[in-house]
Amino acid sequence: MVTSGAVGVGRQRLRYRKLVNSSFADLQKPQVELDGKACASVGQSGLMALYDMLFTQLDVSSSQLLVTDSDFENSKFRERLSETVESLLDLKVVPIFNENDAISTRKAPYEDSSGIFWDNDSLAGLLALELKADLLILLSDVDGLYSGPPSEPSSKIIHTYIKEKHHYEITFGDKSRVGRGGMTAKVKAAVLASNSGTPVVITSGFENQSILKVLQGAKIGTLFHKNASLWEPSKDVSAREMAVAARDCSRRLQNLSSEERKKILLDVADALEANEDLIRSENEADVAAAQDAGYEKPLVARLTIKSGKIASLAKSIRTLANMEDPINQILKKTEVADDLVLEKTSCPLGVLLIVFESRPDALVQIASLAIRSGNGLLLKGGKEAIRSNTILHKVITGAIPCNVGEKLIGLVTTRDEIADLLKLDDVIDLVIPRGSNKLVSQIKASTKIPVLGHADGICHVYIDKSADMDMAKRIVMDAKIDYPAACNAMETLLVHKDLLRTPDLDDILVALKTEGVDIYGGPIAHKALGFPKASSFHHEYSSMACTIEFVDDVQSAIDHIHCYGSAHTDCIITTDGKVAETFLQQVDSAAVFHNASTRFSDGARFGLGAEVGISTGRIHARGPVGVEGLLTTRWILRGRGQVVNGDKDVVYTHKSLPLQ
C-alpha cells in the first residue's frame, strides 16, 4: 500500500502546538507557513498510528517503509527492498510505503517535481515494477479516466485505455482536490507500469468495496494493459450510443399517426403468435439450464412461458393497440389572454431503462407499452432468461418499420453495461427495476436517474370477525396459490382474534396445507396453533409459504400493515361496511381491496392493457403502471404576436376552454 498524509497530519499537530504556545500578540503578527519537512517528520508517527489502529481492528498487522527518490538509484537498496517486502508478505503483514518527505532532497515536497518519483502515483508505479506486482490499483476521487473533465456531460468514462487511441483525445481538468498530481500523474504512472507488464486499474476510492470489485473482475474504473491495443475492438455499440439511438427512434415513432403506431402493435402481436414454437423452444432451453443449475423453484416458475401465455400476451397487446392514443392528448385548455391560448398536452417521457429478472413475458409487456406511449426503451433481463429474451427481442423489433428503426428497443446483454447506462442521466429519463429487493436497492443507490418501482411485495389479507368465511376461503386460496411467485400474492394472513380456533378458520388453514403451503406463525399464532415461528413479518416468500398472525381489530390490522408491509397491495374481507371503509381509507398502500383477491393488482386486470411494473412510490405513478405512467406533459402556447412588455398591454383572462 502506498499512502500520503504525513505532511497534513504533521501540519495539523504543529499548528495546534503553535496556537497553544502563542500569545495574543503573536497571533496578530503575519503567520509564517510551516516548513513542509518539519510537518512530515512530526506527522509520520500520527499517520502510522491511524493505519495501525484501522488494521488492528481487522486483526491485521501493518508496517511502515519510508523511502526517498535517491534510494532507488542504489541497486543494493532495490534488492533489499524486494526481500523485505517478500518477508513481510510471508508474515501476513501489510507494507505501507510513504515518501520520507522529512529528508527528501527536494526543496519543497509539494512543489519540486524533480527526481525518480514525485508523488504517490509515480511511487506506486515504480514499486509495481520493482516488486513485480500482479496488479496496481490507483484510487482517485472520480470513477476512472474520462475523455474530458468528469464534470462535463459530454465526457465519458474510458474502460480500457489504448495509448494510440486515447492519448491525444483526453482533456485533463484540474488536479485532484487531494494529493499532488491529479489524473495526469495517475495516467503517467499507469502507462509506465502497464508497459512494463503490470496491469493497472484507476478507480474511485470513494466507491464502496471498489478494490474487491476490481479483484473480482468487475468492469469498473479504467484498465491499462500492455496488450490492450492488440485486443479485438468491441463491435458492440456503447451504452450512450444505444440510449441516443433509442431516443432518436422514439422521436420518429412520435411523428407517426395514431393509426400507424396502432398498426405496429398489431404487427407485434401477430409476430409473437407466428413465432410461438420458436419462442417456446428457446424458453424451454432456458428452463432446462436453470433447473440444471439448481435455481430455486419460484425463479424457474417465473422463467417459464406456459402454454397459452403467448396468446394471452398477444391479446393484451391488441387490447392496448385499440385503446385511445395516449400521445398528444389535450388535457387542459386555457385562454390566457385574448387570442392567446395555452394547452397542456400529454407526451412520452423519452427513454426508459427497464431492468428485470427471470420473467421473459415482462419484456413483451414493457416493449408494447413503450411503443404505445412513444418511448424509446432499453431492456436488461436476467442471464437465466437470455435465450428467451433474445428471441422475443428479435421478434418484436422485426415488426418495427424501418421509418422508426429497430433500435427503438435495445437489448442490453451484459451486467457491465448497466453501470454505464445508469450514469446517463442526460439521455435516459426513467429507470424501472423489476426484481428482488437487492436489485432495486442497488439500482437506486447507483444512479441519479429517477427510479420507479417497488422493492418488496409483502401483501396482506385481513379476515375480519364479520367476514363471510366461504368468501374468505376463496380469496385467501386464490391470493396465495394462484401464482405464489407473483409480487401481488398474499404473504401474510391477518385474522381477527375472535376467529381463533373456529371451524371456519381451521378449514382455511387445512386447505392451505393440503395445497402444499407452508404456514409460519407470528408470536400469537405460533403459541396458539403451534406453527413454526416466522423469522420476520417483513418477508416476501414468493413461494408456497405464508405467515399467519392474529390481531385485536381492524385498527390493529392497519397498524400491522403499516409497520411490516411494503405498501403494495392489501385486502380486507368483511361484511361490515363501516369496518371496510376504515380499512380502505386508512391503509396507505398503492392498492387496497375489499372482498377481492390481491391477485387483481395487475395492469392487464385493471384494464391498462399491460403494465411496465408496480410502483409503491408516491411520485409520478403508483400501483400498476400502464401507459399513463410512462407519459409526462408539456405546454403549447398559441398566440398572434403578443409580447409581455412588463404586462402593460396584456389583459389576462385565464378562462378555461373546452378541450375540443
Side-chain angles (χ1 to χ4, degrees), residues 6-8 10-11 14 33-43 100-103 106-110 180:
V7 173
R11 182 178 289 114
L14 289 176
E33 182 61 34
L34 295 169
D35 176 56
K37 296 183 183 300
C39 292
S41 179
V42 172
N100 193 350
D101 290 326
I103 58 171
R106 283 195 290 273
K107 295 177 181 178
Y110 278 78
R180 302 180 195 173

Side-chain angles (χ1 to χ4, degrees), residues 13-23 27 30-34:
R13 286 185 171 186
L14 289 176
R15 281 177 176 170
Y16 173 74
R17 297 314 314 171
K18 187 175 180 181
L19 179 64
V20 169
N21 295 322
S22 297
S23 66
L27 295 175
Q31 300 298 302
V32 178
E33 182 61 34
L34 295 169

